[in-house]
Short mmCIF file of all heavy atoms in Angstrom, two decimals:
data_model
loop_
_atom_site.label_atom_id
_atom_site.label_comp_id
_atom_site.label_asym_id
_atom_site.label_seq_id
_atom_site.Cartn_x
_atom_site.Cartn_y
_atom_site.Cartn_z
N ARG A 216 197.31 55.35 54.64
CA ARG A 216 197.99 55.67 53.38
C ARG A 216 197.49 54.77 52.25
O ARG A 216 197.29 55.23 51.12
CB ARG A 216 199.50 55.51 53.56
CG ARG A 216 200.12 56.54 54.50
CD ARG A 216 201.61 56.29 54.68
NE ARG A 216 202.33 56.35 53.42
CZ ARG A 216 203.63 56.10 53.31
NH1 ARG A 216 204.32 55.78 54.39
NH2 ARG A 216 204.21 56.19 52.14
N ALA A 217 197.27 53.48 52.55
CA ALA A 217 196.81 52.55 51.52
C ALA A 217 195.40 52.91 51.04
O ALA A 217 195.11 52.88 49.84
CB ALA A 217 196.83 51.12 52.07
N ILE A 218 194.52 53.28 51.97
CA ILE A 218 193.15 53.66 51.58
C ILE A 218 193.15 54.95 50.78
O ILE A 218 192.41 55.09 49.80
CB ILE A 218 192.27 53.78 52.84
CG1 ILE A 218 192.01 52.39 53.42
CG2 ILE A 218 190.95 54.47 52.51
CD1 ILE A 218 191.17 52.39 54.67
N ARG A 219 193.98 55.92 51.17
CA ARG A 219 194.06 57.17 50.42
C ARG A 219 194.51 56.90 48.99
O ARG A 219 194.00 57.50 48.03
CB ARG A 219 195.03 58.13 51.11
CG ARG A 219 194.50 58.71 52.41
CD ARG A 219 195.48 59.68 53.02
NE ARG A 219 195.75 60.82 52.14
CZ ARG A 219 196.63 61.76 52.42
NH1 ARG A 219 197.34 61.70 53.55
NH2 ARG A 219 196.81 62.77 51.60
N LYS A 220 195.45 55.97 48.83
CA LYS A 220 195.94 55.63 47.48
C LYS A 220 194.84 54.96 46.66
O LYS A 220 194.64 55.28 45.48
CB LYS A 220 197.14 54.69 47.60
CG LYS A 220 197.77 54.35 46.27
CD LYS A 220 198.98 53.45 46.45
CE LYS A 220 199.60 53.10 45.08
NZ LYS A 220 200.77 52.18 45.24
N ILE A 221 194.09 54.05 47.30
CA ILE A 221 193.01 53.34 46.59
C ILE A 221 191.94 54.33 46.14
O ILE A 221 191.51 54.32 44.98
CB ILE A 221 192.39 52.27 47.50
CG1 ILE A 221 193.39 51.14 47.74
CG2 ILE A 221 191.10 51.72 46.88
CD1 ILE A 221 192.94 50.15 48.80
N THR A 222 191.49 55.19 47.04
CA THR A 222 190.40 56.12 46.70
C THR A 222 190.85 57.18 45.71
O THR A 222 190.03 57.72 44.96
CB THR A 222 189.88 56.80 47.98
OG1 THR A 222 190.96 57.41 48.69
CG2 THR A 222 189.21 55.79 48.88
N LYS A 223 192.16 57.48 45.70
CA LYS A 223 192.67 58.47 44.73
C LYS A 223 192.76 57.85 43.34
O LYS A 223 192.39 58.48 42.34
CB LYS A 223 194.06 58.96 45.17
CG LYS A 223 194.63 60.03 44.26
CD LYS A 223 195.99 60.51 44.78
CE LYS A 223 196.57 61.58 43.85
NZ LYS A 223 197.91 62.05 44.35
N GLU A 224 193.24 56.62 43.26
CA GLU A 224 193.41 55.97 41.96
C GLU A 224 192.11 55.43 41.40
O GLU A 224 191.94 55.38 40.18
CB GLU A 224 194.43 54.82 42.10
CG GLU A 224 195.83 55.27 42.42
CD GLU A 224 196.79 54.11 42.56
OE1 GLU A 224 196.31 52.95 42.59
OE2 GLU A 224 198.01 54.36 42.64
N ALA A 225 191.22 54.98 42.28
CA ALA A 225 189.96 54.39 41.82
C ALA A 225 188.81 54.79 42.75
O ALA A 225 188.41 54.02 43.63
CB ALA A 225 190.08 52.87 41.76
N PRO A 226 188.27 56.01 42.58
CA PRO A 226 187.17 56.46 43.45
C PRO A 226 185.96 55.53 43.39
O PRO A 226 185.15 55.51 44.32
CB PRO A 226 186.82 57.84 42.86
CG PRO A 226 188.03 58.26 42.10
CD PRO A 226 188.66 57.01 41.58
N GLU A 227 185.86 54.76 42.30
CA GLU A 227 184.70 53.85 42.18
C GLU A 227 184.68 52.78 43.27
O GLU A 227 183.65 52.15 43.53
CB GLU A 227 184.73 53.13 40.82
CG GLU A 227 184.77 54.07 39.62
CD GLU A 227 186.19 54.37 39.19
OE1 GLU A 227 187.11 54.28 40.04
OE2 GLU A 227 186.38 54.70 38.01
N LEU A 228 185.83 52.57 43.91
CA LEU A 228 185.93 51.50 44.90
C LEU A 228 185.51 51.93 46.30
O LEU A 228 185.56 51.13 47.23
CB LEU A 228 187.36 50.96 44.94
CG LEU A 228 187.85 50.28 43.65
CD1 LEU A 228 189.26 49.77 43.81
CD2 LEU A 228 186.92 49.13 43.28
N LYS A 229 185.12 53.20 46.47
CA LYS A 229 184.70 53.66 47.80
C LYS A 229 183.51 52.84 48.30
O LYS A 229 183.42 52.51 49.48
CB LYS A 229 184.32 55.15 47.75
CG LYS A 229 185.52 56.07 47.57
CD LYS A 229 185.07 57.52 47.54
CE LYS A 229 186.27 58.45 47.35
NZ LYS A 229 185.86 59.88 47.27
N LEU A 230 182.60 52.52 47.38
CA LEU A 230 181.43 51.73 47.78
C LEU A 230 181.84 50.34 48.24
O LEU A 230 181.29 49.81 49.21
CB LEU A 230 180.45 51.62 46.61
CG LEU A 230 179.09 50.97 46.91
CD1 LEU A 230 178.36 51.76 47.97
CD2 LEU A 230 178.25 50.86 45.65
N MET A 231 182.83 49.76 47.58
CA MET A 231 183.31 48.44 47.97
C MET A 231 184.01 48.50 49.33
O MET A 231 183.93 47.56 50.13
CB MET A 231 184.25 47.89 46.90
CG MET A 231 183.61 47.75 45.53
SD MET A 231 182.32 46.49 45.50
CE MET A 231 183.33 45.05 45.21
N LEU A 232 184.71 49.60 49.59
CA LEU A 232 185.33 49.78 50.92
C LEU A 232 184.25 49.82 52.00
O LEU A 232 184.39 49.22 53.07
CB LEU A 232 186.16 51.06 50.94
CG LEU A 232 187.53 51.00 50.28
CD1 LEU A 232 188.10 52.41 50.09
CD2 LEU A 232 188.51 50.16 51.11
N GLY A 233 183.18 50.55 51.70
CA GLY A 233 182.06 50.62 52.65
C GLY A 233 181.42 49.26 52.86
O GLY A 233 181.05 48.91 53.99
N LEU A 234 181.31 48.50 51.78
CA LEU A 234 180.73 47.16 51.89
C LEU A 234 181.60 46.26 52.77
O LEU A 234 181.09 45.52 53.62
CB LEU A 234 180.59 46.54 50.49
CG LEU A 234 180.15 45.07 50.46
CD1 LEU A 234 178.73 44.93 50.97
CD2 LEU A 234 180.25 44.51 49.04
N ALA A 235 182.91 46.34 52.57
CA ALA A 235 183.83 45.52 53.37
C ALA A 235 183.73 45.89 54.85
O ALA A 235 183.73 45.00 55.73
CB ALA A 235 185.26 45.71 52.88
N ALA A 236 183.61 47.19 55.15
CA ALA A 236 183.48 47.64 56.54
C ALA A 236 182.15 47.17 57.14
O ALA A 236 182.11 46.70 58.29
CB ALA A 236 183.59 49.15 56.62
N ALA A 237 181.07 47.29 56.35
CA ALA A 237 179.75 46.88 56.85
C ALA A 237 179.72 45.37 57.11
O ALA A 237 179.15 44.92 58.12
CB ALA A 237 178.67 47.27 55.84
N PHE A 238 180.31 44.61 56.22
CA PHE A 238 180.35 43.15 56.39
C PHE A 238 181.10 42.80 57.67
O PHE A 238 180.67 41.93 58.45
CB PHE A 238 181.05 42.53 55.17
CG PHE A 238 181.03 41.02 55.16
CD1 PHE A 238 179.86 40.33 54.89
CD2 PHE A 238 182.20 40.29 55.39
CE1 PHE A 238 179.85 38.94 54.87
CE2 PHE A 238 182.19 38.91 55.37
CZ PHE A 238 181.01 38.23 55.11
N THR A 239 182.21 43.48 57.91
CA THR A 239 182.99 43.25 59.13
C THR A 239 182.18 43.63 60.37
O THR A 239 182.19 42.91 61.37
CB THR A 239 184.29 44.06 59.09
OG1 THR A 239 185.03 43.70 57.94
CG2 THR A 239 185.14 43.81 60.34
N PHE A 240 181.48 44.77 60.30
CA PHE A 240 180.70 45.23 61.46
C PHE A 240 179.62 44.22 61.83
O PHE A 240 179.46 43.85 62.99
CB PHE A 240 180.08 46.59 61.16
CG PHE A 240 179.33 47.18 62.32
CD1 PHE A 240 179.99 48.00 63.24
CD2 PHE A 240 177.98 46.91 62.54
CE1 PHE A 240 179.33 48.55 64.32
CE2 PHE A 240 177.31 47.44 63.62
CZ PHE A 240 177.98 48.26 64.51
N VAL A 241 178.88 43.77 60.82
CA VAL A 241 177.74 42.89 61.10
C VAL A 241 178.21 41.54 61.64
O VAL A 241 177.72 41.05 62.66
CB VAL A 241 176.91 42.68 59.81
CG1 VAL A 241 175.85 41.59 60.02
CG2 VAL A 241 176.23 43.98 59.41
N LEU A 242 179.20 40.94 60.96
CA LEU A 242 179.64 39.61 61.40
C LEU A 242 180.31 39.65 62.77
O LEU A 242 180.10 38.77 63.60
CB LEU A 242 180.57 38.99 60.35
CG LEU A 242 179.89 37.95 59.45
CD1 LEU A 242 178.86 38.64 58.56
CD2 LEU A 242 180.91 37.22 58.61
N SER A 243 181.12 40.67 63.01
CA SER A 243 181.84 40.71 64.29
C SER A 243 180.94 41.12 65.44
O SER A 243 181.35 41.11 66.59
CB SER A 243 183.05 41.65 64.20
OG SER A 243 182.63 42.96 63.90
N ALA A 244 179.70 41.53 65.14
CA ALA A 244 178.75 41.87 66.21
C ALA A 244 177.96 40.66 66.68
O ALA A 244 177.18 40.76 67.63
CB ALA A 244 177.78 42.97 65.73
N LEU A 245 178.14 39.51 66.03
CA LEU A 245 177.40 38.30 66.41
C LEU A 245 178.18 37.56 67.48
O LEU A 245 178.97 36.66 67.21
CB LEU A 245 177.20 37.41 65.16
CG LEU A 245 176.48 38.08 63.99
CD1 LEU A 245 176.47 37.16 62.78
CD2 LEU A 245 175.06 38.45 64.38
N LYS A 246 177.96 37.93 68.72
CA LYS A 246 178.82 37.43 69.79
C LYS A 246 178.27 36.18 70.46
O LYS A 246 177.07 35.95 70.54
CB LYS A 246 179.02 38.50 70.85
CG LYS A 246 177.73 38.89 71.56
CD LYS A 246 178.02 39.89 72.65
CE LYS A 246 176.74 40.26 73.39
NZ LYS A 246 176.99 41.17 74.49
N ILE A 247 179.22 35.39 70.96
CA ILE A 247 178.92 34.22 71.79
C ILE A 247 179.82 34.31 73.02
O ILE A 247 181.03 34.39 72.88
CB ILE A 247 179.22 32.91 71.03
CG1 ILE A 247 178.37 32.82 69.77
CG2 ILE A 247 178.96 31.71 71.93
CD1 ILE A 247 178.73 31.63 68.90
N PRO A 248 179.24 34.32 74.23
CA PRO A 248 180.09 34.38 75.43
C PRO A 248 181.10 33.24 75.44
O PRO A 248 180.78 32.11 75.11
CB PRO A 248 179.08 34.24 76.57
CG PRO A 248 177.80 34.70 76.00
CD PRO A 248 177.81 34.28 74.56
N SER A 249 182.34 33.56 75.80
CA SER A 249 183.39 32.53 75.80
C SER A 249 184.32 32.73 76.99
O SER A 249 183.85 32.80 78.12
CB SER A 249 184.15 32.59 74.46
OG SER A 249 185.07 31.54 74.37
N VAL A 250 185.59 32.91 76.72
CA VAL A 250 186.57 33.09 77.79
C VAL A 250 186.23 34.33 78.60
O VAL A 250 185.78 35.33 78.06
CB VAL A 250 187.98 33.24 77.18
CG1 VAL A 250 189.00 33.52 78.25
CG2 VAL A 250 188.33 31.98 76.41
N THR A 251 186.44 34.28 79.91
CA THR A 251 186.19 35.44 80.75
C THR A 251 186.91 36.67 80.22
O THR A 251 188.09 36.64 79.94
CB THR A 251 186.69 35.17 82.18
OG1 THR A 251 185.96 34.07 82.71
CG2 THR A 251 186.48 36.39 83.06
N GLY A 252 186.14 37.77 80.06
CA GLY A 252 186.71 39.01 79.56
C GLY A 252 186.71 39.12 78.06
O GLY A 252 187.16 40.12 77.52
N SER A 253 186.23 38.09 77.36
CA SER A 253 186.19 38.14 75.91
C SER A 253 184.99 37.34 75.42
O SER A 253 184.12 36.97 76.20
CB SER A 253 187.49 37.60 75.32
OG SER A 253 187.50 37.77 73.91
N SER A 254 184.93 37.08 74.10
CA SER A 254 183.82 36.33 73.54
C SER A 254 184.24 35.75 72.20
O SER A 254 185.27 36.11 71.66
CB SER A 254 182.60 37.25 73.35
OG SER A 254 182.93 38.28 72.45
N SER A 255 183.41 34.86 71.65
CA SER A 255 183.66 34.30 70.33
C SER A 255 182.71 34.94 69.33
O SER A 255 181.57 35.26 69.67
CB SER A 255 183.46 32.78 70.34
OG SER A 255 184.54 32.13 70.96
N HIS A 256 183.19 35.10 68.11
CA HIS A 256 182.34 35.67 67.06
C HIS A 256 183.07 35.57 65.73
O HIS A 256 184.30 35.47 65.70
CB HIS A 256 182.04 37.14 67.36
CG HIS A 256 183.27 37.99 67.51
ND1 HIS A 256 183.93 38.56 66.44
CD2 HIS A 256 183.98 38.33 68.61
CE1 HIS A 256 184.96 39.24 66.87
NE2 HIS A 256 185.03 39.12 68.18
N PRO A 257 182.33 35.60 64.61
CA PRO A 257 183.02 35.73 63.32
C PRO A 257 183.72 37.09 63.28
O PRO A 257 183.35 38.00 64.03
CB PRO A 257 181.88 35.66 62.30
CG PRO A 257 180.68 35.21 63.06
CD PRO A 257 180.87 35.58 64.48
N THR A 258 184.71 37.25 62.41
CA THR A 258 185.40 38.54 62.35
C THR A 258 184.98 39.36 61.13
O THR A 258 184.99 40.58 61.17
CB THR A 258 186.91 38.34 62.32
OG1 THR A 258 187.27 37.63 61.13
CG2 THR A 258 187.37 37.57 63.54
N GLY A 259 184.67 38.69 60.03
CA GLY A 259 184.24 39.40 58.83
C GLY A 259 185.34 40.13 58.09
O GLY A 259 185.06 40.90 57.17
N THR A 260 186.59 39.91 58.47
CA THR A 260 187.69 40.65 57.83
C THR A 260 188.19 39.98 56.56
O THR A 260 188.93 40.60 55.79
CB THR A 260 188.87 40.81 58.81
OG1 THR A 260 189.29 39.51 59.25
CG2 THR A 260 188.46 41.63 60.02
N GLY A 261 187.80 38.73 56.33
CA GLY A 261 188.33 38.01 55.17
C GLY A 261 187.92 38.63 53.85
O GLY A 261 188.72 38.70 52.91
N LEU A 262 186.67 39.09 53.73
CA LEU A 262 186.19 39.66 52.47
C LEU A 262 187.00 40.89 52.07
O LEU A 262 187.49 40.99 50.94
CB LEU A 262 184.71 40.01 52.59
CG LEU A 262 184.06 40.59 51.33
CD1 LEU A 262 184.05 39.56 50.21
CD2 LEU A 262 182.64 41.08 51.62
N GLY A 263 187.14 41.83 52.99
CA GLY A 263 187.90 43.05 52.70
C GLY A 263 189.36 42.76 52.44
O GLY A 263 190.01 43.41 51.62
N THR A 264 189.90 41.75 53.13
CA THR A 264 191.30 41.38 52.92
C THR A 264 191.54 40.88 51.51
O THR A 264 192.52 41.23 50.86
CB THR A 264 191.70 40.29 53.94
OG1 THR A 264 191.55 40.81 55.26
CG2 THR A 264 193.12 39.84 53.72
N VAL A 265 190.61 40.03 51.03
CA VAL A 265 190.74 39.51 49.67
C VAL A 265 190.62 40.63 48.65
O VAL A 265 191.33 40.66 47.64
CB VAL A 265 189.66 38.44 49.42
CG1 VAL A 265 189.60 38.06 47.95
CG2 VAL A 265 189.95 37.20 50.26
N MET A 266 189.73 41.60 48.91
CA MET A 266 189.50 42.66 47.94
C MET A 266 190.61 43.71 47.95
O MET A 266 191.05 44.16 46.90
CB MET A 266 188.15 43.33 48.23
CG MET A 266 186.95 42.44 47.93
SD MET A 266 185.38 43.36 47.86
CE MET A 266 185.22 43.90 49.55
N PHE A 267 191.08 44.12 49.14
CA PHE A 267 191.98 45.27 49.22
C PHE A 267 193.34 44.97 49.84
O PHE A 267 194.21 45.83 49.86
CB PHE A 267 191.30 46.40 50.02
CG PHE A 267 190.03 46.89 49.41
CD1 PHE A 267 188.81 46.54 49.96
CD2 PHE A 267 190.04 47.68 48.28
CE1 PHE A 267 187.63 46.98 49.40
CE2 PHE A 267 188.87 48.12 47.71
CZ PHE A 267 187.65 47.78 48.27
N GLY A 268 193.52 43.79 50.39
CA GLY A 268 194.77 43.50 51.08
C GLY A 268 194.66 43.76 52.57
O GLY A 268 193.66 44.31 53.04
N PRO A 269 195.68 43.41 53.34
CA PRO A 269 195.58 43.51 54.80
C PRO A 269 195.67 44.92 55.36
O PRO A 269 195.05 45.21 56.39
CB PRO A 269 196.75 42.64 55.28
CG PRO A 269 197.73 42.66 54.15
CD PRO A 269 196.91 42.75 52.89
N LEU A 270 196.42 45.82 54.72
CA LEU A 270 196.62 47.15 55.32
C LEU A 270 195.33 47.97 55.41
O LEU A 270 195.05 48.54 56.48
CB LEU A 270 197.69 47.92 54.55
CG LEU A 270 199.13 47.46 54.80
CD1 LEU A 270 200.10 48.27 53.97
CD2 LEU A 270 199.47 47.61 56.29
N PRO A 271 194.51 48.06 54.35
CA PRO A 271 193.24 48.80 54.51
C PRO A 271 192.36 48.23 55.62
O PRO A 271 191.63 48.98 56.28
CB PRO A 271 192.58 48.67 53.14
CG PRO A 271 193.73 48.52 52.19
CD PRO A 271 194.74 47.69 52.94
N MET A 272 192.44 46.91 55.84
CA MET A 272 191.61 46.32 56.88
C MET A 272 192.06 46.75 58.28
O MET A 272 191.26 46.67 59.22
CB MET A 272 191.63 44.79 56.77
CG MET A 272 190.86 44.25 55.58
SD MET A 272 189.19 44.94 55.43
CE MET A 272 188.43 44.37 56.94
N SER A 273 193.31 47.19 58.43
CA SER A 273 193.73 47.69 59.74
C SER A 273 192.94 48.94 60.12
O SER A 273 192.69 49.19 61.31
CB SER A 273 195.24 47.99 59.74
OG SER A 273 195.53 49.08 58.88
N VAL A 274 192.53 49.71 59.11
CA VAL A 274 191.72 50.91 59.36
C VAL A 274 190.24 50.54 59.47
O VAL A 274 189.57 50.93 60.43
CB VAL A 274 191.92 51.95 58.23
CG1 VAL A 274 191.04 53.17 58.47
CG2 VAL A 274 193.39 52.35 58.15
N LEU A 275 189.74 49.79 58.48
CA LEU A 275 188.32 49.42 58.49
C LEU A 275 187.98 48.61 59.73
O LEU A 275 186.96 48.85 60.40
CB LEU A 275 187.98 48.62 57.23
CG LEU A 275 188.20 49.32 55.88
CD1 LEU A 275 187.75 48.42 54.74
CD2 LEU A 275 187.46 50.65 55.83
N GLY A 276 188.82 47.63 60.06
CA GLY A 276 188.56 46.78 61.23
C GLY A 276 188.61 47.57 62.53
O GLY A 276 187.78 47.36 63.43
N SER A 277 189.58 48.48 62.65
CA SER A 277 189.69 49.24 63.90
C SER A 277 188.53 50.23 64.04
O SER A 277 188.07 50.50 65.15
CB SER A 277 191.03 49.98 63.95
OG SER A 277 191.18 50.86 62.86
N MET A 278 188.05 50.78 62.89
CA MET A 278 186.89 51.67 62.96
C MET A 278 185.65 50.90 63.43
O MET A 278 184.85 51.40 64.21
CB MET A 278 186.63 52.30 61.59
CG MET A 278 187.66 53.32 61.15
SD MET A 278 187.74 54.78 62.24
CE MET A 278 189.18 54.36 63.24
N VAL A 279 185.50 49.68 62.92
CA VAL A 279 184.41 48.82 63.37
C VAL A 279 184.48 48.58 64.87
O VAL A 279 183.50 48.70 65.60
CB VAL A 279 184.44 47.49 62.60
CG1 VAL A 279 183.54 46.45 63.29
CG2 VAL A 279 184.00 47.69 61.16
N LEU A 280 185.67 48.26 65.35
CA LEU A 280 185.85 48.01 66.78
C LEU A 280 185.59 49.26 67.61
O LEU A 280 185.03 49.18 68.71
CB LEU A 280 187.28 47.50 67.03
CG LEU A 280 187.55 46.08 66.52
CD1 LEU A 280 189.06 45.81 66.49
CD2 LEU A 280 186.85 45.05 67.38
N LEU A 281 185.99 50.43 67.08
CA LEU A 281 185.74 51.68 67.80
C LEU A 281 184.24 51.94 67.94
O LEU A 281 183.75 52.26 69.02
CB LEU A 281 186.41 52.84 67.06
CG LEU A 281 186.12 54.24 67.64
CD1 LEU A 281 186.64 54.35 69.07
CD2 LEU A 281 186.75 55.32 66.76
N PHE A 282 183.51 51.79 66.83
CA PHE A 282 182.06 52.02 66.88
C PHE A 282 181.38 51.02 67.82
O PHE A 282 180.46 51.36 68.55
CB PHE A 282 181.46 51.93 65.48
CG PHE A 282 181.66 53.17 64.67
CD1 PHE A 282 182.38 53.15 63.49
CD2 PHE A 282 181.14 54.39 65.08
CE1 PHE A 282 182.58 54.30 62.74
CE2 PHE A 282 181.32 55.54 64.34
CZ PHE A 282 182.04 55.50 63.17
N GLN A 283 181.82 49.77 67.78
CA GLN A 283 181.22 48.76 68.65
C GLN A 283 181.51 49.07 70.12
O GLN A 283 180.66 48.83 70.99
CB GLN A 283 181.72 47.37 68.27
CG GLN A 283 181.17 46.88 66.93
CD GLN A 283 181.66 45.50 66.56
OE1 GLN A 283 182.56 44.97 67.19
NE2 GLN A 283 181.07 44.93 65.53
#
Side-chain angles (χ1 to χ4, degrees):
R216 292 178 60 184
I218 289 179
R219 289 181 61 184
K220 184 178 179 182
I221 291 171
T222 54
K223 183 178 180 180
E224 294 179 350
E227 304 92 334
L228 296 181
K229 289 180 180 178
L230 187 61
M231 300 293 275
L232 282 167
L234 173 66
F238 186 72
T239 303
F240 184 90
V241 171
L242 259 67
S243 61
L245 303 174
K246 64 177 181 177
I247 300 173
S249 186
V250 176
T251 298
S253 185
S254 62
S255 284
H256 57 85
T258 63
T260 57
L262 181 65
T264 299
V265 169
M266 291 195 294
F267 299 105
L270 285 179
M272 288 311 297
S273 66
V274 178
L275 299 182
S277 59
M278 290 297 100
V279 166
L280 289 166
L281 175 62
F282 281 118
Q283 290 181 349

